[in-house]
Amino acid sequence: MKRILVVLGIAVSACILGSVGVYFYQMQTPPDEWIGRRLGLSGQELSVFTEAHSRYTASCNEMCVKIRNSDARLANLVLNGREFTPEIAKAMTNSDGLRIQCRQNMLKHFYEVTAMLDAPKREKYLNLVLPLIIEPELMSKEHSHP
């Protein structure tokens, strides 16, 4: 009985260590590569897929900077004001407009990526990224830029 418990304990420990190892490996894998592998891409197909995402990252970085700057301007107006003003309304509209533009750019990118996938992978990919489009609050949680 003791031997069975020891073997069982070793097996459970190995499973836990293996799971932790896989988790940390996935955390170190860039998101585009992780998604590509989840879609079953490898070799040249995975390289083309990750390259498409890398090209998009530059414009994504720029958009994130614009959004942060717009939000900072809005915050400054709110914190230094005493009432709702046309200037605050304009700053709010600008911040919201940038987020809409970001979502539109992202969806265009997603469609460009789907052009290189077969139908089943295209559907799986769109299902993976759809929450970013229909739940815009996820955008800032899913990635960060320097």
PDB file of all heavy atoms in Angstrom, residues 5-44:
ATOM      1  N   LEU A   5       1.157   4.359  -2.813  1.00  0.00           N
ATOM      2  CA  LEU A   5       1.044   5.777  -2.467  1.00  0.00           C
ATOM      3  C   LEU A   5       2.277   6.561  -2.896  1.00  0.00           C
ATOM      4  O   LEU A   5       2.174   7.688  -3.390  1.00  0.00           O
ATOM      5  CB  LEU A   5       0.801   5.939  -0.964  1.00  0.00           C
ATOM      6  CG  LEU A   5      -0.568   5.491  -0.458  1.00  0.00           C
ATOM      7  CD1 LEU A   5      -0.637   5.616   1.052  1.00  0.00           C
ATOM      8  CD2 LEU A   5      -1.679   6.290  -1.117  1.00  0.00           C
ATOM      9  N   VAL A   6       3.466   5.961  -2.750  1.00  0.00           N
ATOM     10  CA  VAL A   6       4.693   6.626  -3.176  1.00  0.00           C
ATOM     11  C   VAL A   6       4.695   6.801  -4.696  1.00  0.00           C
ATOM     12  O   VAL A   6       5.000   7.882  -5.211  1.00  0.00           O
ATOM     13  CB  VAL A   6       5.940   5.836  -2.698  1.00  0.00           C
ATOM     14  CG1 VAL A   6       7.206   6.369  -3.356  1.00  0.00           C
ATOM     15  CG2 VAL A   6       6.059   5.887  -1.185  1.00  0.00           C
ATOM     16  N   VAL A   7       4.358   5.751  -5.416  1.00  0.00           N
ATOM     17  CA  VAL A   7       4.312   5.816  -6.880  1.00  0.00           C
ATOM     18  C   VAL A   7       3.263   6.844  -7.315  1.00  0.00           C
ATOM     19  O   VAL A   7       3.509   7.655  -8.217  1.00  0.00           O
ATOM     20  CB  VAL A   7       4.023   4.426  -7.491  1.00  0.00           C
ATOM     21  CG1 VAL A   7       3.729   4.534  -8.973  1.00  0.00           C
ATOM     22  CG2 VAL A   7       5.196   3.493  -7.241  1.00  0.00           C
ATOM     23  N   LEU A   8       2.113   6.810  -6.669  1.00  0.00           N
ATOM     24  CA  LEU A   8       1.047   7.765  -6.994  1.00  0.00           C
ATOM     25  C   LEU A   8       1.510   9.198  -6.712  1.00  0.00           C
ATOM     26  O   LEU A   8       1.283  10.103  -7.508  1.00  0.00           O
ATOM     27  CB  LEU A   8      -0.215   7.434  -6.201  1.00  0.00           C
ATOM     28  CG  LEU A   8      -1.448   8.253  -6.514  1.00  0.00           C
ATOM     29  CD1 LEU A   8      -1.841   8.096  -7.983  1.00  0.00           C
ATOM     30  CD2 LEU A   8      -2.589   7.854  -5.622  1.00  0.00           C
ATOM     31  N   GLY A   9       2.197   9.389  -5.588  1.00  0.00           N
ATOM     32  CA  GLY A   9       2.718  10.713  -5.251  1.00  0.00           C
ATOM     33  C   GLY A   9       3.728  11.205  -6.273  1.00  0.00           C
ATOM     34  O   GLY A   9       3.718  12.370  -6.668  1.00  0.00           O
ATOM     35  N   ILE A  10       4.593  10.323  -6.719  1.00  0.00           N
ATOM     36  CA  ILE A  10       5.594  10.685  -7.733  1.00  0.00           C
ATOM     37  C   ILE A  10       4.902  11.031  -9.046  1.00  0.00           C
ATOM     38  O   ILE A  10       5.244  12.016  -9.699  1.00  0.00           O
ATOM     39  CB  ILE A  10       6.629   9.554  -7.913  1.00  0.00           C
ATOM     40  CG1 ILE A  10       7.496   9.437  -6.653  1.00  0.00           C
ATOM     41  CG2 ILE A  10       7.490   9.789  -9.152  1.00  0.00           C
ATOM     42  CD1 ILE A  10       8.411   8.222  -6.633  1.00  0.00           C
ATOM     43  N   ALA A  11       3.895  10.237  -9.420  1.00  0.00           N
ATOM     44  CA  ALA A  11       3.172  10.494 -10.670  1.00  0.00           C
ATOM     45  C   ALA A  11       2.446  11.830 -10.617  1.00  0.00           C
ATOM     46  O   ALA A  11       2.492  12.615 -11.581  1.00  0.00           O
ATOM     47  CB  ALA A  11       2.188   9.355 -10.942  1.00  0.00           C
ATOM     48  N   VAL A  12       1.798  12.110  -9.511  1.00  0.00           N
ATOM     49  CA  VAL A  12       1.081  13.393  -9.368  1.00  0.00           C
ATOM     50  C   VAL A  12       2.078  14.548  -9.402  1.00  0.00           C
ATOM     51  O   VAL A  12       1.847  15.559 -10.070  1.00  0.00           O
ATOM     52  CB  VAL A  12       0.243  13.403  -8.066  1.00  0.00           C
ATOM     53  CG1 VAL A  12      -0.264  14.803  -7.757  1.00  0.00           C
ATOM     54  CG2 VAL A  12      -0.925  12.429  -8.180  1.00  0.00           C
ATOM     55  N   SER A  13       3.196  14.405  -8.716  1.00  0.00           N
ATOM     56  CA  SER A  13       4.224  15.451  -8.724  1.00  0.00           C
ATOM     57  C   SER A  13       4.756  15.684 -10.135  1.00  0.00           C
ATOM     58  O   SER A  13       4.956  16.821 -10.553  1.00  0.00           O
ATOM     59  CB  SER A  13       5.380  15.064  -7.801  1.00  0.00           C
ATOM     60  OG  SER A  13       4.932  14.961  -6.473  1.00  0.00           O
ATOM     61  N   ALA A  14       5.000  14.606 -10.871  1.00  0.00           N
ATOM     62  CA  ALA A  14       5.480  14.736 -12.246  1.00  0.00           C
ATOM     63  C   ALA A  14       4.461  15.460 -13.112  1.00  0.00           C
ATOM     64  O   ALA A  14       4.827  16.312 -13.938  1.00  0.00           O
ATOM     65  CB  ALA A  14       5.801  13.360 -12.820  1.00  0.00           C
ATOM     66  N   CYS A  15       3.193  15.136 -12.941  1.00  0.00           N
ATOM     67  CA  CYS A  15       2.137  15.806 -13.712  1.00  0.00           C
ATOM     68  C   CYS A  15       2.093  17.297 -13.387  1.00  0.00           C
ATOM     69  O   CYS A  15       1.972  18.128 -14.285  1.00  0.00           O
ATOM     70  CB  CYS A  15       0.787  15.170 -13.430  1.00  0.00           C
ATOM     71  SG  CYS A  15       0.577  13.561 -14.193  1.00  0.00           S
ATOM     72  N   ILE A  16       2.186  17.620 -12.120  1.00  0.00           N
ATOM     73  CA  ILE A  16       2.159  19.027 -11.714  1.00  0.00           C
ATOM     74  C   ILE A  16       3.370  19.761 -12.286  1.00  0.00           C
ATOM     75  O   ILE A  16       3.228  20.845 -12.863  1.00  0.00           O
ATOM     76  CB  ILE A  16       2.105  19.148 -10.176  1.00  0.00           C
ATOM     77  CG1 ILE A  16       0.738  18.674  -9.669  1.00  0.00           C
ATOM     78  CG2 ILE A  16       2.375  20.579  -9.726  1.00  0.00           C
ATOM     79  CD1 ILE A  16       0.641  18.535  -8.161  1.00  0.00           C
ATOM     80  N   LEU A  17       4.549  19.178 -12.153  1.00  0.00           N
ATOM     81  CA  LEU A  17       5.757  19.815 -12.696  1.00  0.00           C
ATOM     82  C   LEU A  17       5.668  19.966 -14.214  1.00  0.00           C
ATOM     83  O   LEU A  17       6.056  20.989 -14.768  1.00  0.00           O
ATOM     84  CB  LEU A  17       6.994  19.016 -12.309  1.00  0.00           C
ATOM     85  CG  LEU A  17       7.445  19.142 -10.855  1.00  0.00           C
ATOM     86  CD1 LEU A  17       8.597  18.178 -10.573  1.00  0.00           C
ATOM     87  CD2 LEU A  17       7.854  20.567 -10.539  1.00  0.00           C
ATOM     88  N   GLY A  18       5.143  18.943 -14.879  1.00  0.00           N
ATOM     89  CA  GLY A  18       4.973  19.019 -16.328  1.00  0.00           C
ATOM     90  C   GLY A  18       4.020  20.123 -16.719  1.00  0.00           C
ATOM     91  O   GLY A  18       4.277  20.890 -17.657  1.00  0.00           O
ATOM     92  N   SER A  19       2.908  20.252 -16.003  1.00  0.00           N
ATOM     93  CA  SER A  19       1.919  21.302 -16.292  1.00  0.00           C
ATOM     94  C   SER A  19       2.511  22.686 -16.084  1.00  0.00           C
ATOM     95  O   SER A  19       2.304  23.590 -16.886  1.00  0.00           O
ATOM     96  CB  SER A  19       0.687  21.137 -15.401  1.00  0.00           C
ATOM     97  OG  SER A  19       0.044  19.926 -15.686  1.00  0.00           O
ATOM     98  N   VAL A  20       3.265  22.845 -15.003  1.00  0.00           N
ATOM     99  CA  VAL A  20       3.907  24.124 -14.732  1.00  0.00           C
ATOM    100  C   VAL A  20       4.922  24.439 -15.836  1.00  0.00           C
ATOM    101  O   VAL A  20       4.994  25.573 -16.322  1.00  0.00           O
ATOM    102  CB  VAL A  20       4.581  24.116 -13.340  1.00  0.00           C
ATOM    103  CG1 VAL A  20       5.484  25.324 -13.142  1.00  0.00           C
ATOM    104  CG2 VAL A  20       3.517  24.052 -12.253  1.00  0.00           C
ATOM    105  N   GLY A  21       5.673  23.438 -16.265  1.00  0.00           N
ATOM    106  CA  GLY A  21       6.638  23.638 -17.348  1.00  0.00           C
ATOM    107  C   GLY A  21       5.969  24.061 -18.637  1.00  0.00           C
ATOM    108  O   GLY A  21       6.424  24.994 -19.305  1.00  0.00           O
ATOM    109  N   VAL A  22       4.887  23.403 -18.998  1.00  0.00           N
ATOM    110  CA  VAL A  22       4.145  23.763 -20.211  1.00  0.00           C
ATOM    111  C   VAL A  22       3.597  25.175 -20.093  1.00  0.00           C
ATOM    112  O   VAL A  22       3.669  25.972 -21.029  1.00  0.00           O
ATOM    113  CB  VAL A  22       3.012  22.744 -20.485  1.00  0.00           C
ATOM    114  CG1 VAL A  22       2.047  23.256 -21.537  1.00  0.00           C
ATOM    115  CG2 VAL A  22       3.601  21.406 -20.890  1.00  0.00           C
ATOM    116  N   TYR A  23       3.056  25.520 -18.936  1.00  0.00           N
ATOM    117  CA  TYR A  23       2.503  26.862 -18.714  1.00  0.00           C
ATOM    118  C   TYR A  23       3.581  27.923 -18.936  1.00  0.00           C
ATOM    119  O   TYR A  23       3.371  28.888 -19.662  1.00  0.00           O
ATOM    120  CB  TYR A  23       1.926  26.973 -17.303  1.00  0.00           C
ATOM    121  CG  TYR A  23       1.505  28.367 -16.937  1.00  0.00           C
ATOM    122  CD1 TYR A  23       0.305  28.891 -17.407  1.00  0.00           C
ATOM    123  CD2 TYR A  23       2.302  29.166 -16.132  1.00  0.00           C
ATOM    124  CE1 TYR A  23      -0.076  30.172 -17.081  1.00  0.00           C
ATOM    125  CE2 TYR A  23       1.922  30.452 -15.796  1.00  0.00           C
ATOM    126  CZ  TYR A  23       0.734  30.955 -16.271  1.00  0.00           C
ATOM    127  OH  TYR A  23       0.360  32.225 -15.952  1.00  0.00           O
ATOM    128  N   PHE A  24       4.756  27.738 -18.315  1.00  0.00           N
ATOM    129  CA  PHE A  24       5.814  28.723 -18.461  1.00  0.00           C
ATOM    130  C   PHE A  24       6.355  28.758 -19.888  1.00  0.00           C
ATOM    131  O   PHE A  24       6.715  29.820 -20.392  1.00  0.00           O
ATOM    132  CB  PHE A  24       6.933  28.494 -17.449  1.00  0.00           C
ATOM    133  CG  PHE A  24       6.582  29.002 -16.088  1.00  0.00           C
ATOM    134  CD1 PHE A  24       6.361  28.119 -15.048  1.00  0.00           C
ATOM    135  CD2 PHE A  24       6.440  30.352 -15.848  1.00  0.00           C
ATOM    136  CE1 PHE A  24       6.019  28.580 -13.790  1.00  0.00           C
ATOM    137  CE2 PHE A  24       6.099  30.831 -14.600  1.00  0.00           C
ATOM    138  CZ  PHE A  24       5.878  29.933 -13.561  1.00  0.00           C
ATOM    139  N   TYR A  25       6.389  27.631 -20.569  1.00  0.00           N
ATOM    140  CA  TYR A  25       6.807  27.616 -21.971  1.00  0.00           C
ATOM    141  C   TYR A  25       5.830  28.447 -22.808  1.00  0.00           C
ATOM    142  O   TYR A  25       6.243  29.258 -23.633  1.00  0.00           O
ATOM    143  CB  TYR A  25       6.879  26.190 -22.505  1.00  0.00           C
ATOM    144  CG  TYR A  25       7.091  26.146 -23.997  1.00  0.00           C
ATOM    145  CD1 TYR A  25       8.332  26.431 -24.552  1.00  0.00           C
ATOM    146  CD2 TYR A  25       6.030  25.855 -24.857  1.00  0.00           C
ATOM    147  CE1 TYR A  25       8.533  26.407 -25.922  1.00  0.00           C
ATOM    148  CE2 TYR A  25       6.213  25.835 -26.235  1.00  0.00           C
ATOM    149  CZ  TYR A  25       7.464  26.111 -26.757  1.00  0.00           C
ATOM    150  OH  TYR A  25       7.638  26.100 -28.107  1.00  0.00           O
ATOM    151  N   GLN A  26       4.537  28.249 -22.584  1.00  0.00           N
ATOM    152  CA  GLN A  26       3.541  29.002 -23.343  1.00  0.00           C
ATOM    153  C   GLN A  26       3.613  30.485 -23.025  1.00  0.00           C
ATOM    154  O   GLN A  26       3.399  31.327 -23.893  1.00  0.00           O
ATOM    155  CB  GLN A  26       2.140  28.476 -23.068  1.00  0.00           C
ATOM    156  CG  GLN A  26       1.870  27.152 -23.722  1.00  0.00           C
ATOM    157  CD  GLN A  26       0.461  26.640 -23.433  1.00  0.00           C
ATOM    158  OE1 GLN A  26      -0.222  27.110 -22.537  1.00  0.00           O
ATOM    159  NE2 GLN A  26       0.048  25.664 -24.209  1.00  0.00           N
ATOM    160  N   MET A  27       3.922  30.844 -21.785  1.00  0.00           N
ATOM    161  CA  MET A  27       4.019  32.251 -21.413  1.00  0.00           C
ATOM    162  C   MET A  27       5.206  32.911 -22.094  1.00  0.00           C
ATOM    163  O   MET A  27       5.198  34.109 -22.317  1.00  0.00           O
ATOM    164  CB  MET A  27       4.138  32.397 -19.892  1.00  0.00           C
ATOM    165  CG  MET A  27       2.896  31.950 -19.138  1.00  0.00           C
ATOM    166  SD  MET A  27       1.389  32.797 -19.654  1.00  0.00           S
ATOM    167  CE  MET A  27       1.719  34.430 -19.038  1.00  0.00           C
ATOM    168  N   GLN A  28       6.242  32.136 -22.426  1.00  0.00           N
ATOM    169  CA  GLN A  28       7.410  32.694 -23.079  1.00  0.00           C
ATOM    170  C   GLN A  28       7.297  32.663 -24.600  1.00  0.00           C
ATOM    171  O   GLN A  28       8.098  33.262 -25.286  1.00  0.00           O
ATOM    172  CB  GLN A  28       8.663  31.938 -22.627  1.00  0.00           C
ATOM    173  CG  GLN A  28       8.972  32.164 -21.164  1.00  0.00           C
ATOM    174  CD  GLN A  28      10.143  31.345 -20.679  1.00  0.00           C
ATOM    175  OE1 GLN A  28      10.646  30.481 -21.373  1.00  0.00           O
ATOM    176  NE2 GLN A  28      10.585  31.606 -19.465  1.00  0.00           N
ATOM    177  N   THR A  29       6.301  31.959 -25.113  1.00  0.00           N
ATOM    178  CA  THR A  29       6.089  31.889 -26.549  1.00  0.00           C
ATOM    179  C   THR A  29       5.320  33.134 -26.984  1.00  0.00           C
ATOM    180  O   THR A  29       4.294  33.454 -26.390  1.00  0.00           O
ATOM    181  CB  THR A  29       5.281  30.622 -26.911  1.00  0.00           C
ATOM    182  OG1 THR A  29       5.984  29.487 -26.437  1.00  0.00           O
ATOM    183  CG2 THR A  29       5.076  30.512 -28.403  1.00  0.00           C
ATOM    184  N   PRO A  30       5.794  33.836 -28.000  1.00  0.00           N
ATOM    185  CA  PRO A  30       5.051  35.006 -28.472  1.00  0.00           C
ATOM    186  C   PRO A  30       3.623  34.611 -28.857  1.00  0.00           C
ATOM    187  O   PRO A  30       3.389  33.511 -29.369  1.00  0.00           O
ATOM    188  CB  PRO A  30       5.840  35.462 -29.705  1.00  0.00           C
ATOM    189  CG  PRO A  30       7.192  34.858 -29.538  1.00  0.00           C
ATOM    190  CD  PRO A  30       6.999  33.588 -28.772  1.00  0.00           C
ATOM    191  N   PRO A  31       2.648  35.517 -28.611  1.00  0.00           N
ATOM    192  CA  PRO A  31       1.248  35.186 -28.878  1.00  0.00           C
ATOM    193  C   PRO A  31       0.978  34.736 -30.308  1.00  0.00           C
ATOM    194  O   PRO A  31       0.212  33.805 -30.524  1.00  0.00           O
ATOM    195  CB  PRO A  31       0.503  36.492 -28.571  1.00  0.00           C
ATOM    196  CG  PRO A  31       1.405  37.245 -27.670  1.00  0.00           C
ATOM    197  CD  PRO A  31       2.803  36.836 -28.018  1.00  0.00           C
ATOM    198  N   ASP A  32       1.628  35.377 -31.281  1.00  0.00           N
ATOM    199  CA  ASP A  32       1.375  34.991 -32.671  1.00  0.00           C
ATOM    200  C   ASP A  32       1.862  33.568 -32.937  1.00  0.00           C
ATOM    201  O   ASP A  32       1.193  32.795 -33.616  1.00  0.00           O
ATOM    202  CB  ASP A  32       2.003  35.984 -33.658  1.00  0.00           C
ATOM    203  CG  ASP A  32       3.478  36.241 -33.387  1.00  0.00           C
ATOM    204  OD1 ASP A  32       3.984  35.846 -32.319  1.00  0.00           O
ATOM    205  OD2 ASP A  32       4.125  36.855 -34.250  1.00  0.00           O
ATOM    206  N   GLU A  33       2.996  33.203 -32.378  1.00  0.00           N
ATOM    207  CA  GLU A  33       3.500  31.836 -32.555  1.00  0.00           C
ATOM    208  C   GLU A  33       2.593  30.844 -31.820  1.00  0.00           C
ATOM    209  O   GLU A  33       2.304  29.761 -32.325  1.00  0.00           O
ATOM    210  CB  GLU A  33       4.932  31.722 -32.042  1.00  0.00           C
ATOM    211  CG  GLU A  33       5.549  30.367 -32.313  1.00  0.00           C
ATOM    212  CD  GLU A  33       6.995  30.285 -31.871  1.00  0.00           C
ATOM    213  OE1 GLU A  33       7.678  31.331 -31.836  1.00  0.00           O
ATOM    214  OE2 GLU A  33       7.433  29.164 -31.563  1.00  0.00           O
ATOM    215  N   TRP A  34       2.149  31.228 -30.626  1.00  0.00           N
ATOM    216  CA  TRP A  34       1.271  30.353 -29.846  1.00  0.00           C
ATOM    217  C   TRP A  34      -0.030  30.097 -30.613  1.00  0.00           C
ATOM    218  O   TRP A  34      -0.479  28.955 -30.725  1.00  0.00           O
ATOM    219  CB  TRP A  34       0.972  30.987 -28.481  1.00  0.00           C
ATOM    220  CG  TRP A  34       0.057  30.173 -27.641  1.00  0.00           C
ATOM    221  CD1 TRP A  34       0.391  29.122 -26.843  1.00  0.00           C
ATOM    222  CD2 TRP A  34      -1.363  30.316 -27.546  1.00  0.00           C
ATOM    223  NE1 TRP A  34      -0.731  28.613 -26.237  1.00  0.00           N
ATOM    224  CE2 TRP A  34      -1.829  29.321 -26.651  1.00  0.00           C
ATOM    225  CE3 TRP A  34      -2.286  31.182 -28.104  1.00  0.00           C
ATOM    226  CZ2 TRP A  34      -3.169  29.179 -26.318  1.00  0.00           C
ATOM    227  CZ3 TRP A  34      -3.629  31.045 -27.775  1.00  0.00           C
ATOM    228  CH2 TRP A  34      -4.042  30.047 -26.897  1.00  0.00           C
ATOM    229  N   ILE A  35      -0.613  31.155 -31.169  1.00  0.00           N
ATOM    230  CA  ILE A  35      -1.856  30.997 -31.944  1.00  0.00           C
ATOM    231  C   ILE A  35      -1.589  30.150 -33.180  1.00  0.00           C
ATOM    232  O   ILE A  35      -2.362  29.256 -33.517  1.00  0.00           O
ATOM    233  CB  ILE A  35      -2.462  32.366 -32.331  1.00  0.00           C
ATOM    234  CG1 ILE A  35      -2.991  33.066 -31.089  1.00  0.00           C
ATOM    235  CG2 ILE A  35      -3.573  32.198 -33.369  1.00  0.00           C
ATOM    236  CD1 ILE A  35      -3.457  34.486 -31.333  1.00  0.00           C
ATOM    237  N   GLY A  36      -0.485  30.422 -33.876  1.00  0.00           N
ATOM    238  CA  GLY A  36      -0.143  29.646 -35.065  1.00  0.00           C
ATOM    239  C   GLY A  36      -0.018  28.166 -34.764  1.00  0.00           C
ATOM    240  O   GLY A  36      -0.538  27.311 -35.485  1.00  0.00           O
ATOM    241  N   ARG A  37       0.663  27.850 -33.682  1.00  0.00           N
ATOM    242  CA  ARG A  37       0.808  26.440 -33.295  1.00  0.00           C
ATOM    243  C   ARG A  37      -0.543  25.843 -32.899  1.00  0.00           C
ATOM    244  O   ARG A  37      -0.826  24.687 -33.192  1.00  0.00           O
ATOM    245  CB  ARG A  37       1.811  26.303 -32.158  1.00  0.00           C
ATOM    246  CG  ARG A  37       3.225  26.598 -32.607  1.00  0.00           C
ATOM    247  CD  ARG A  37       4.237  26.259 -31.530  1.00  0.00           C
ATOM    248  NE  ARG A  37       5.561  26.702 -31.871  1.00  0.00           N
ATOM    249  CZ  ARG A  37       6.358  26.128 -32.744  1.00  0.00           C
ATOM    250  NH1 ARG A  37       5.952  25.079 -33.414  1.00  0.00           N
ATOM    251  NH2 ARG A  37       7.561  26.610 -32.986  1.00  0.00           N
ATOM    252  N   ARG A  38      -1.368  26.642 -32.239  1.00  0.00           N
ATOM    253  CA  ARG A  38      -2.706  26.158 -31.861  1.00  0.00           C
ATOM    254  C   ARG A  38      -3.553  25.856 -33.094  1.00  0.00           C
ATOM    255  O   ARG A  38      -4.412  24.986 -33.063  1.00  0.00           O
ATOM    256  CB  ARG A  38      -3.389  27.200 -30.979  1.00  0.00           C
ATOM    257  CG  ARG A  38      -4.703  26.743 -30.446  1.00  0.00           C
ATOM    258  CD  ARG A  38      -5.046  27.382 -29.159  1.00  0.00           C
ATOM    259  NE  ARG A  38      -6.348  26.905 -28.743  1.00  0.00           N
ATOM    260  CZ  ARG A  38      -7.110  27.504 -27.896  1.00  0.00           C
ATOM    261  NH1 ARG A  38      -6.706  28.616 -27.330  1.00  0.00           N
ATOM    262  NH2 ARG A  38      -8.284  27.019 -27.579  1.00  0.00           N
ATOM    263  N   LEU A  39      -3.286  26.580 -34.164  1.00  0.00           N
ATOM    264  CA  LEU A  39      -4.000  26.330 -35.424  1.00  0.00           C
ATOM    265  C   LEU A  39      -3.405  25.144 -36.183  1.00  0.00           C
ATOM    266  O   LEU A  39      -3.936  24.737 -37.205  1.00  0.00           O
ATOM    267  CB  LEU A  39      -3.954  27.571 -36.312  1.00  0.00           C
ATOM    268  CG  LEU A  39      -4.709  28.794 -35.813  1.00  0.00           C
ATOM    269  CD1 LEU A  39      -4.416  29.992 -36.695  1.00  0.00           C
ATOM    270  CD2 LEU A  39      -6.197  28.520 -35.745  1.00  0.00           C
ATOM    271  N   GLY A  40      -2.291  24.625 -35.713  1.00  0.00           N
ATOM    272  CA  GLY A  40      -1.662  23.484 -36.371  1.00  0.00           C
ATOM    273  C   GLY A  40      -0.672  23.893 -37.449  1.00  0.00           C
ATOM    274  O   GLY A  40      -0.325  23.089 -38.312  1.00  0.00           O
ATOM    275  N   LEU A  41      -0.202  25.136 -37.409  1.00  0.00           N
ATOM    276  CA  LEU A  41       0.761  25.605 -38.399  1.00  0.00           C
ATOM    277  C   LEU A  41       2.167  25.219 -37.954  1.00  0.00           C
ATOM    278  O   LEU A  41       2.472  25.180 -36.765  1.00  0.00           O
ATOM    279  CB  LEU A  41       0.676  27.128 -38.540  1.00  0.00           C
ATOM    280  CG  LEU A  41      -0.696  27.714 -38.879  1.00  0.00           C
ATOM    281  CD1 LEU A  41      -0.611  29.239 -38.943  1.00  0.00           C
ATOM    282  CD2 LEU A  41      -1.234  27.154 -40.169  1.00  0.00           C
ATOM    283  N   SER A  42       3.012  24.973 -38.927  1.00  0.00           N
ATOM    284  CA  SER A  42       4.412  24.681 -38.627  1.00  0.00           C
ATOM    285  C   SER A  42       5.257  25.049 -39.835  1.00  0.00           C
ATOM    286  O   SER A  42       4.736  25.315 -40.916  1.00  0.00           O
ATOM    287  CB  SER A  42       4.600  23.201 -38.268  1.00  0.00           C
ATOM    288  OG  SER A  42       4.219  22.387 -39.354  1.00  0.00           O
ATOM    289  N   GLY A  43       6.551  25.078 -39.642  1.00  0.00           N
ATOM    290  CA  GLY A  43       7.475  25.352 -40.735  1.00  0.00           C
ATOM    291  C   GLY A  43       7.230  26.687 -41.411  1.00  0.00           C
ATOM    292  O   GLY A  43       7.030  27.708 -40.759  1.00  0.00           O
ATOM    293  N   GLN A  44       7.244  26.665 -42.732  1.00  0.00           N
ATOM    294  CA  GLN A  44       7.081  27.877 -43.537  1.00  0.00           C
ATOM    295  C   GLN A  44       5.720  28.532 -43.295  1.00  0.00           C
ATOM    296  O   GLN A  44       5.616  29.755 -43.224  1.00  0.00           O
ATOM    297  CB  GLN A  44       7.247  27.548 -45.034  1.00  0.00           C
ATOM    298  CG  GLN A  44       7.148  28.755 -45.941  1.00  0.00           C
ATOM    299  CD  GLN A  44       8.234  29.785 -45.689  1.00  0.00           C
ATOM    300  OE1 GLN A  44       9.316  29.484 -45.194  1.00  0.00           O
ATOM    301  NE2 GLN A  44       7.951  31.038 -46.018  1.00  0.00           N
TER     302      GLN A  44
END
